[in-house]
Amino acid sequence: MSQLQERNQREPSDHPSADERRATRQAHLIASEKARDLSRELKVNDFHGGVHPPENKHQSTGEPIGSIPLAEDLVVPLNQHIGGTAIPLVKLGDQVLKGQKIAEADGLVSCPVHAPSSGKVVAIEPMAVPHPSGMVADCIQIRTDGRDEWCALTPVEDYASRDIDDVLEKIRDCGIAGMGGAGFPTAVKLNPRGGATIDTLIINGTECEPYITADDMLMREHASEIIGGVEILAHLLDQPERVLIGIEDNKPEAIAAMKQAAAGTRFHVVVFPTKYPSGGEKQLIEILTGREVPNEGLPAHVGIVCQNVGTARAVFRAVALGEPLISRVTTVVGESLGRQRNIEVPLGTPIHHILEQHDIDRKRLQRIVIGGPMMGYTIEDDGAPVVKTTNCILAPSKQELPAPPPAQACIRCGLCAEACPASLLPQQLYWYARAEDREKLQAYNLFDCIECGACSYVCPSSIPLVQYYRAAKGDIREARAEKEKADRARERFEYRKLRLEKAEQEKEAKRLARKKAAEEARKKREQEANSPEAKAAKQESDVVAAALARVKAKQAAPEQVLARAQRSLTSAEHRVERMQKKLAEAEEAQKAPLEAQLKTAELKLKEAREKLADAEKQAADAPAKSGQEDAGNVQKPPAQPSVTEDKLTVAGASSSAAGAAIEKAKAAAAARASMAPEEKLANEIEALKKRVEKAEARLAKARSEDDPNTGAFETALEKMQDKLQEKLAAQQGSGK
Amino acid sequence: MDWLSEVSTPLLILGGMALVFGALLGFAAVRFRVEGDPIVDQIDAILPQTQCGQCGHPGCRPYAEAIANGEAINKCPPGGQATINELANLLDVEAVPLDAEHGEEDVKKVAFIREAECIGCTKCIQACPVDAIVGAAKQMHTVIVDECTGCDLCVEPCPVDCIDMVPVETTLQEWHPNKPSDGIQLIASDRPDLHADDRSAA
Amino acid sequence: MSLMRVTSPHAHSGQSTAKVMLQVAAATIPGVLALVIFFGPGVLFNIALCTGTALVTEAAVMKLRGRPVGFYLKDYSALVTALLLGIALPPYCPWWIPVIGSVSAILLAKQLYGGMGYNPFNPAMVGYVVLLISFPVEMTRWVAPAELIHGTPGLGETFSLIFGNMNVDGFTRATPLEIVRHNQSTILAQLYEMEPMFSKGNIAGVGWEMANFGFLLGGLFLLFRRLITWHAPLAMLATLALLSVVFYDGGSSLSEGSPLLHLFSGATMLGAFFIVTDPVSGCTSNRGRLVFGAGVGLLVFVIRAWGAYPDAVAFAVLLMNFAAPFIDNYTLPRTYGHKAARKATDLEEQ
C-alpha cells in the first residue's frame, strides 16, 4: 500500500514538476556543498560494543580477481533473495542463452533469475541450495554448451534523462538483489516506502567480516564501475544531500582506488577504524551519520539508503550495459585449499567445482562455511551453487577454525554485553531463551539482535549464544503465526456458527409464514363455506333440514373423489419409482430414453397431484366439522410426495418440470401439514421405515451383483436413514 | 476507670483504623476497578482453535466455557502439554498430563483431498468447523490449506475416504535452527559417556 | 568425509572461564604477598586449607550429581572462591575454621543453588558470614603485624595455633578499624601518634595499608586485562570515600575515621576488586554495576560506623546480592534504535 503511494508520488500527475524539482535540488546542493564544512561531514562516530577478531584478509588478496573454467552444470535456485520465489519461464529441454531471463519475479518483493551461461535446461526440481537448513529448494539446472553465447542486451541509454521508473524497472528486470549478504531486492530498496525523503546514500564497502575480501578486491579493480553505479543510485534517489562511501581502514589499496575514482564527484570516501561488525547496516549508519535506525524501522525512516559496493557495480552493469546479475566476485579461502583468491564466478556454479579448481585437500577440510567465520553458515552438500549473496566460500582446516568446545555454565561475566553492538544484555537473553520465556525475551529486545556473533565470539564459556537467539526468534515468530491462525480460525468458526443459526432462523421463519398462510387460507375457505350455510340458515327450518341433507350428500362425493385421486397418485408414484430404479440400474448410454420415460411418469404424477389437490379442495369446501374429520385421510398423501422427492434427487435425474411439480406438491403438503403434525409425522415415519427396508434389500442385492451403482444406493439409504432419525427425533420432541 | 480506657482506647483506634482502611479499600475497589477479560475469553485465547471437538465439546469456545465452570484442563490434544501448562498458569491449578482418552499429541497436520476421488458429496464441507473446504454439490472439493486447523472432522464423513491428514512441512523461509541441547548443564545428557559424544559431534 | 554442521560464529576469541579464573587468582598475588610479609605465613595455610576443602567438596558434589568431575574442576571457580575466603579469614585461625567455611561456601552457597553461574550470593562471602556468626571469637582475633609484636608466629607456633590448642591471643592486637571505632575521647591526630598501629604505618595502619595496596594493584591488573569493568569498584570506593569525608568531622574524637583509613584498611580493596566484581551474584549492566557498587560502599560505611561489626564488606555484598535482580530490572541499557531504556517488567505490548 505504502509502496503504491510512493509510486503515485513519483507520477507526474502528483508532482508535475518532478524534473524541475530535481534540478532545483541539484542547484541547491551545489550551493550548499561549497558552504559545507567537510570536516564535519567526514567525522566518524563509534558504536557500542564490537570485537576485533583476527582479520585473515591477506590470504586472498595476493592475486587479482581470477576466473575458473565453466562448470558442466549450473544450478540456478529460483529464490536467491528475500521475497517471493521466482516463477520459471522455461521448460525442460529448452535452449537458453547467457543472460536470458529464465524465471520471472513473483510479486513486488521478488527478483527474476537469468541464465548464467548458454545451454540446455535439463532439470527443474528441488536441489541442494546454500542454506543453513540443508534443505532443498526449486532450482533450474542448465547443462552448459561451452559457447557462453549472450542473448541480446538492452542498456538504458542516457539514464539521467529517462523516467526514474524506467531505470528502476531495468534494475528489477536484471534481477539485482543486495550482494552484501541479505539479498533484498535492490529496486524495492531504491523506492523508499512512505514517501520518506532520503538525504543520505551510504555505499557499504566496509566488509568487516574476517577472511572475506570480495568487496575489497572489487573496489581495487572496478572502482570506476562502482562509482558509475553510485551515480545511478544517487540519481534514482533524487540526488541525496550526502553520498558517503564507507570503507574500513584495513583496506588501503581499495581506499586509494575509490578515492581516485571518486575524484571530481561529490561523493565522499569515509575511512574509519576497523571493528567488527561495522559493516552491519545499522552500525555503518551510526558510524557515518550518528543516526540510529528506529526499532522495527528501516534506514529510510531516518532518511538513509544503504547499498553494498557489489550492488552498485551490478546496477552500473545493468543500466549501462543491460547485463543482468549472472555472476559475482566471491572469495575462495581457507587452509584446506591449495590456492586462495577471489574469483568472478557465474551464479549457479556448484561449490564443489570451485573447490576442486582451487586444489581442495579433502582430508584437511572439516566444514564448508558460506560467508565469513562470524556470520556464515555451514553446508553439508557441496553440490549447492553460488548464489547472488555468496560473498565467500570458506574451507578452513581443523586448526584454523577449531570445533567449539562444550559449553560451560554462564558466569554472567558481561563480556557479551560489552561486545554487543545493539547494546543488548546477551546473558539475560540467554537465560530467557533457555527457559523459553517469550515475554521476557521480547522485553529484553531479542528482535533487535542482528545475530552478528560478537557475543558468542567473546563468551569465555563457549556458549552458542547466537544459536539460542535464532532458535528463540524462530519460535516466537512461529508462535505469532500460530496465534494469528488461531484467531482467524476462531473468527471463521464463530462466523460459521452465526451463519448456521441465521439459516435455521430463516427456515423457522419461513415455516411459520407458511403455517400462517395455510391457516389463513383455511379460514378463508371455511368462511366461504360458511357463508352459503349462513344464507341457508336464514331460510325456513325445513329448508334448512333439506339443505343439510344436500350438503351431507355433497360431502360424500368429495371423499370419493379424494380417494380416487389418492389412488392415482400412488400408482403414479410407483411408476416414477420404477423408472428411477431402472434408471439407476441402467448404463450411461441408456439413460436418455429412460429419463424421458421418467419425465412422462413424473408428469403423470403431477397430474395426479393436481387432481388430488382439486379433490382436496372439494373436500375442504365441505362443512368445517366434516372437514376436520377428514383431516386424517387428507394427511396421508402428502407424506408420500416428500419421499418421492428424495427418490428423485437420489436418482440424479430430476428434471426441472418434475422438480417444479414436486415443489408444488411439497408446498401443498406443507400447507396441510399444520393440521395435525403428530399424526403426519407418525405416518411419515411409517412410510420411511418401509422405504428404508426396501432400500436396504435393494442395496444388498446390488452389492451381491456387484452393481456399479452401489455407491448411489448407499448414499440414498444413508440419506433415508438420516431422515428417519430426524423424524423420529422430531416425533420424540413433539411427544414431550 | 483506667482499665476501661486501657481497653477502649486501643479498641477504638484499631476499630477506627479498620473502618478507615476498609472504606478506602472499598472505594478503591469500585473506583479503580479494572475491567479484565472475562475468564472465558482468556481461556479461549489459549486454546488452539482447531475446533476439533476432541475434548467432547463442539468447538473451542464451548470447552473454554466448560473449563471456566470447572472442567478438567487436560482434554485438548492439539494444544498438548503447552496449552495445559498455560491454562494451569492462568487458572492457578496444577498442570496435569494430557488425558489420553481424548487423543494424543501429534504433529501439526492439514487435511488434503485426493481430488480425483472426490465425488462432490459436500459432506466434508458441512463437517468443517472453519469453512476451510470449498466446493459445490457434484463438484470437486478442495481444502484451503492456510485456513485448515487440522481437526480431521472432515475425514469421517467422507463416503469415499478421499481425505488424508498430511503433516505440515516447514518451508525454507520458516526454518530456524533448534535450540542448542542443554548439553553439559542437564543431568541426563551430562554423563561422561554422553559428554565425550558431544565433543565428537560438535 | 562428513562435513561439520555448526552455527555461526565459527571463530572464537579463545577466552575461557578457566583462563579468567586463573587470571583472577594470579591478581591476588600482590595482596597475598603483602599479607605474608606483614602478618606471617598464616594466610597461606588458610588458603591451602580452603582450597583443599573446596576442591574436595566440589568434586564430591559433582560425583553425587553424576557429572563429569574433571570438566567442572577445570573451570577453577571453586579455586577462586576458596582463595578469596582464605584471604578473608584471620591468619592462624584453627584449622576447622577454613574447612567449615569452604564447605559452607561451596555446598550451601554454590552447589545447592545449581553450581557455577547459578548462585545468587557470593559463595566466599556466604562462607565468611557463616563463620563470623557461628564463631565470633575466632573470627575477630587478628594477628598483629610483625612490627608491633616483634615477629609473627614461627613454624612450630603456627602448627600449634592451627592444629593444636595454642591460643592466638598472645599475637593479636586490635585492627585499625577497631581502634578508631572504639576511640571515644581522643582526637584522631593524637590517636595516630599514640597507637603504634598508626604511628609505625603511613596512612591506614601497618600492614593493612600495604595489603590493601596489593589488592588495588591486582585489581588494576584485572581492569587492564578487561576481566572486570571499572564501574562497580569505582562506585564502591567513591561512595565509601564520600561518606567518610562527610562523617570525618574534622578528625574529632567522634570522627568515624578518615577517607584514607576507610579506603586502605580492612577488606576494602579486596572487596572492591575481587568481591564486588563477582559477575554471577552482581548486576549485569554497567549502570547496574554502578548502583550495586555504590550500594556496597554505602552499606560498608554504615556498618563500619554504626553497626556491631568492625568490618562489613561481606555483609554489604550479601545484602546487595539480594538487591541485584531488582537493580537489574531498573538499569537495562538502552538498546540500539529504542528511544529509552525500559524496565524488564514492562512486557511487550501484544
Side-chain angles (χ1 to χ4, degrees), chain A residues 227-446:
Chain A
I227 295 296
V230 177
E231 266 162 6
I232 298 169
L233 293 173
H235 170 73
L236 292 177
L237 292 168
D238 265 2
Q239 295 297 348
E241 200 174 319
R242 291 185 295 178
V243 179
L244 308 174
I245 302 167
I247 308 175
E248 272 185 345
D249 63 4
N250 60 354
K251 306 175 190 60
E253 294 93 339
I255 293 166
M258 288 298 283
K259 277 195 168 154
Q260 200 191 341
T265 65
R266 60 187 197 87
F267 310 148
H268 297 296
V269 176
V270 188
V271 182
F272 50 88
T274 303
K275 177 161 92 169
Y276 179 84
S278 54
E281 193 174 64
K282 289 176 172 179
Q283 279 64 44
L284 185 61
I285 287 170
E286 197 179 350
I287 290 171
L288 295 181
T289 66
R291 296 180 205 168
E292 281 187 17
V293 181
N295 164 243
E296 286 173 13
L298 292 170
H301 294 154
V302 286
I304 294 170
V305 164
C306 205
Q307 294 285 0
N308 175 266
V309 286
T311 318
R313 183 203 181 208
V315 165
F316 172 78
R317 291 190 80 85
V319 174
L321 310 173
E323 246 180 50
L325 181 56
I326 52 167
S327 74
R328 68 157 298 144
V329 176
T330 298
T331 308
V332 187
V333 70
E335 275 180 8
S336 57
L337 296 171
R339 193 176 181 191
Q340 303 178 46
R341 58 168 176 169
N342 280 280
I343 51 168
E344 173 116 34
V345 60
L347 302 181
T349 306
I351 282 162
H352 64 75
H353 176 73
I354 297 173
L355 294 179
E356 276 147 25
Q357 293 295 326
H358 289 83
D359 310 322
I360 179 82
D361 180 357
R362 296 256 173 204
K363 283 193 206 86
R364 296 187 73 190
L365 182 71
Q366 36 111 26
R367 59 181 135 179
I368 299 172
V369 181
I370 302 300
M374 296 299 284
M375 290 188 77
Y377 51 89
T378 53
I379 55 164
E380 284 163 291
D381 187 345
D382 60 5
V386 168
V387 296
K388 290 173 185 172
T389 54
T390 313
N391 50 7
C392 180
I393 299 165
L394 176 57
S397 65
K398 286 183 186 68
Q399 294 74 35
E400 202 173 7
L401 291 181
Q408 286 171 294
C410 168
I411 55 166
R412 310 211 313 163
C413 63
L415 286 176
C416 47
E418 269 164 58
C420 180
S423 301
L424 296 168
L425 286 177
Q427 75 273 42
Q428 298 299 100
L429 288 173
Y430 161 67
W431 290 117
Y432 295 126
R434 273 188 62 190
E436 295 182 15
D437 186 340
R438 289 172 190 160
E439 281 178 350
K440 280 283 188 203
L441 281 168
Q442 287 174 66
Y444 277 86
N445 300 325
L446 172 68

Side-chain angles (χ1 to χ4, degrees), chain A residues 133 282 286 292-293 295 366-367 373 376 380 410 412 418 422 434 442 444-445 448 456-457 459-461 467 470, chain C residues 4-10 12-13 16-17 117-118 229 279-280 282 284 332 334-338 342 344 348:
Chain A
S133 67
K282 289 176 172 179
E286 197 179 350
E292 281 187 17
V293 181
N295 164 243
Q366 36 111 26
R367 59 181 135 179
E380 284 163 291
C410 168
R412 310 211 313 163
E418 269 164 58
R434 273 188 62 190
Q442 287 174 66
Y444 277 86
N445 300 325
D448 287 295
S456 305
Y457 176 78
C459 180
S461 292
Q467 193 184 344
R470 287 199 181 115
Chain C
M4 207 164 36
R5 188 168 159 193
V6 283
T7 49
S8 66
H10 306 279
H12 192 264
S13 62
S16 73
T17 306
Y118 296 86
T229 64
V280 178
T284 52
L332 286 189
R334 184 188 68 86
T335 307
Y336 177 99
H338 287 259
R342 60 174 171 190
E348 190 84 1

Side-chain angles (χ1 to χ4, degrees), chain A residues 570-581 585 640 643-644 647 685-703 712-714 716-718 720-721 724:
Chain A
T570 320
S571 78
E573 274 172 359
H574 280 309
R575 210 143 138 188
V576 171
E577 201 182 313
R578 262 202 320 276
M579 288 292 163
Q580 282 164 352
K581 198 171 157 188
E585 282 163 2
Q640 282 167 340
V643 178
T644 320
K647 294 253 98 186
I685 288 163
E686 269 311 302
L688 261 173
K689 274 182 180 162
K690 272 180 201 153
R691 300 223 169 268
V692 167
E693 273 168 28
K694 241 192 204 163
E696 269 167 2
R698 204 161 52 195
L699 179 62
K701 193 183 157 218
R703 276 199 182 130
F713 286 142
E714 267 171 8
L717 178 60
E718 212 168 271
M720 262 193 276
Q721 277 166 340
L724 181 57

Side-chain angles (χ1 to χ4, degrees), chain C residues 213-234:
Chain C
F213 190 67
F215 288 120
L216 172 63
L217 272 183
L220 292 178
F221 168 75
L222 291 181
L223 272 178
F224 173 72
R225 299 286 301 168
R226 291 175 168 268
L227 295 172
I228 58 171
T229 64
W230 54 267
H231 303 81
L234 188 78

Side-chain angles (χ1 to χ4, degrees), chain C residues 188-322:
Chain C
L188 284 188
Q190 274 183 340
L191 189 73
Y192 273 42
E193 278 169 27
M194 270 165 52
E195 284 287 340
M197 175 67 86
F198 292 111
S199 60
K200 290 191 176 180
N202 296 310
I203 47 172
V206 186
W208 292 93
E209 54 195 26
M210 287 317 286
N212 271 285
F213 190 67
F215 288 120
L216 172 63
L217 272 183
L220 292 178
F221 168 75
L222 291 181
L223 272 178
F224 173 72
R225 299 286 301 168
R226 291 175 168 268
L227 295 172
I228 58 171
T229 64
W230 54 267
H231 303 81
L234 188 78
M236 175 191 160
L237 296 176
T239 311
L240 190 59
L242 185 76
L243 284 170
S244 52
V245 166
V246 169
F247 292 95
Y248 182 52
D249 199 19
S252 76
S253 58
L254 294 175
S255 170
E256 304 295 352
S258 72
L260 283 176
L261 174 77
H262 279 287
L263 289 181
F264 285 94
S265 198
T268 307
M269 289 298 169
L270 178 72
F273 290 100
F274 293 89
I275 309 290
V276 171
T277 53
D278 171 33
V280 178
S281 53
C283 285
T284 52
S285 65
N286 286 340
R287 277 203 301 153
R289 286 171 179 154
L290 282 174
V291 178
F292 185 84
V296 172
L298 173 80
L299 286 170
V300 165
F301 187 80
V302 167
I303 299 173
R304 277 182 183 177
W306 304 295
Y309 290 91
D311 203 356
V313 173
F315 286 112
V317 167
L318 290 184
L319 284 171
M320 287 313 289
N321 284 347
F322 275 109

Side-chain angles (χ1 to χ4, degrees), chain B residues 156-179:
Chain B
E156 190 63 29
C158 181
V160 291
D161 274 341
C162 73
I163 304 183
D164 291 324
M165 296 305 293
V166 292
V168 185
E169 276 179 31
T170 13
T171 65
L172 215 59
Q173 280 75 25
E174 285 166 356
W175 179 88
H176 61 85
N178 289 325
K179 200 171 83 164

